[in-house]
Amino acid sequence: MKARRIDLSDACGVDDAMRRIAIVRFAEVLTLVPALRHGRSRDLHDLRIACKRLRYALESFTPREPALLEAASRLSQLQDALGDLHDRDLLLLAMPKKLHVSAQRVRMQRDDALARARALWRDAFAPYGPFEGLMRFTGLGYGFGDGVAGS
Amino acid sequence: MPDDRIAEWALGLVKADVHAFKRARARFLRQPSAKRLHDLRTTARRLRLLHEDLREAVPPFSLKRLRRLIDLTGEARDAAVMREALREALDVRERRAARGLLHALRQRERIALNRIARALESVRFSHP
């Protein structure tokens, strides 16, 4: 998914610019999060990239807005889990059919990574959880986190 | 065009990321390693994504070569990670059947690493 262009032309100061960027990047993540439920590789890959964009932005903002640090850290964990999953997907595509026992193990590792990502996402929205500061900063994300079942 | 405070703040962030990338590049060129490749890749991607967020607020500069470098580091990293994951999951009875793939992944990584060294020579920043 291509990242949305962010309009900063009429932003009122640095805090407003940071907020606009965080809102757009967080909205991109929230739009893609149904991938955690259905587990399709392509969509999970897009979600991972969106998490990365948001995380990097938040890490740049934390010197001015330390409340975003926990969200950045949770996004990093989420990105790791989704990265492990993506690596297994790539490997499964490259593995010849005769490696079927090993492929089965790789599929189990993929499932573990997906379960880990789901748990990290759900837990991020707990009261006073890692996304609390991000939700307050952007005004987004309320009501999310419950919808990721299937783990 | 955003106001001066935003432009100044954005330029500061981009400059810090350019500096981090240049440091990672120098370390990798001095002595390549998996860790240094990871740092190189991470700093390059961070710079590219930050630029996408702030492109309206900073002077324009071309990211074409940086993108090429990110692709190459991705190829090297994917091959290395897939090789490691395959080794980890490999059933002992399928060891022989996996030799071809392991060899191909090693080759892919080697070729990508050579290309990275060449690409690094051509990544220059006149801005910011």
Side-chain angles (χ1 to χ4, degrees):
Chain A
M1 195 184 96
K2 206 167 160 54
R4 275 175 54 195
R5 206 177 179 118
I6 300 170
D7 182 14
L8 299 176
S9 57
D10 58 348
C12 302
V14 174
D15 289 344
D16 187 35
M18 291 195 315
R19 185 166 288 109
R20 284 171 189 233
I21 294 168
I23 286 172
V24 171
R25 297 297 176 234
F26 192 24
E28 286 171 348
V29 169
L30 294 172
T31 304
L32 292 165
V33 92
L36 284 176
R37 199 175 313 129
H38 59 62
R40 274 195 293 274
S41 303
R42 177 72 227 175
D43 296 339
L44 286 164
H45 176 67
D46 286 347
L47 174 62
R48 182 172 66 94
I49 304 297
C51 285
K52 190 187 310 180
R53 282 182 200 286
L54 175 60
R55 175 194 152 201
Y56 286 171
L58 298 185
E59 283 176 352
S60 301
F61 302 163
T62 50
R64 290 181 70 102
E65 194 59 54
L68 299 173
L69 194 61
E70 270 197 75
S73 163
R74 174 50 56 100
L75 285 163
S76 167
Q77 294 170 323
L78 193 58
Q79 203 187 309
D80 283 348
L82 292 171
D84 285 348
L85 188 152
H86 179 65
D87 293 338
R88 266 64 192 182
D89 279 339
L90 289 182
L91 181 57
L92 285 167
L93 283 176
M95 286 173 88
K97 282 202 174 75
K98 55 191 172 186
L99 296 180
H100 57 93
V101 179
S102 306
Q104 190 53 37
R105 288 184 185 169
V106 175
R107 271 190 284 275
M108 284 168 62
Q109 290 170 347
R110 183 198 190 273
D111 291 345
D112 286 347
L114 181 56
R116 213 163 71 234
R118 282 173 175 157
L120 285 165
W121 177 260
R122 212 175 26 238
D123 171 68
F125 289 90
Y128 307 106
F131 279 2
E132 178 90 20
L134 176 62
M135 286 157 64
R136 261 202 219 131
F137 188 67
T138 58
L140 296 179
Y142 294 98
F144 271 82
D146 304 330
V148 184
S151 51
Chain B
M1 191 66 189
D3 71 34
D4 289 349
R5 290 164 302 166
I6 296 175
E8 190 185 331
W9 164 74
L11 192 60
L13 290 181
V14 173
K15 273 184 176 170
D17 275 8
V18 168
H19 185 62
F21 169 72
K22 283 180 172 173
R23 263 201 326 242
R25 176 176 65 176
R27 276 199 300 264
F28 180 81
L29 283 173
R30 209 161 38 240
Q31 196 178 347
S33 69
K35 167 84 175 77
R36 289 175 181 199
L37 174 67
H38 173 77
D39 290 346
L40 179 70
R41 178 167 167 71
T42 307
T43 53
R45 280 186 319 189
R46 191 182 286 270
L47 175 59
R48 199 193 109 206
L49 296 182
L50 183 72
H51 179 263
E52 281 182 8
D53 287 344
L54 300 173
R55 76 177 109 192
E56 285 189 6
V58 294
F61 60 97
S62 171
L63 290 176
K64 198 173 154 194
R65 285 172 173 166
L66 192 71
R67 279 199 203 101
R68 164 92 179 125
L69 177 67
I70 291 167
D71 289 345
L72 288 173
T73 56
E75 280 172 32
R77 185 247 172 226
D78 284 351
V81 169
M82 280 165 70
R83 199 153 50 89
E84 193 51 46
L86 178 56
R87 279 219 193 94
E88 195 188 307
L90 194 57
D91 186 90
V92 69
R93 289 162 293 179
E94 295 178 344
R95 208 178 273 169
R96 186 187 289 265
R99 272 189 202 154
L101 179 56
L102 284 168
H103 177 72
L105 290 170
R106 205 174 299 122
Q107 282 289 97
R108 255 176 65 184
E109 186 186 356
R110 202 171 296 150
I111 290 167
L113 284 172
N114 285 335
R115 287 182 180 156
I116 289 167
R118 282 202 298 274
L120 278 176
E121 294 300 324
S122 66
V123 181
R124 297 272 181 271
F125 290 101
S126 51
H127 278 292

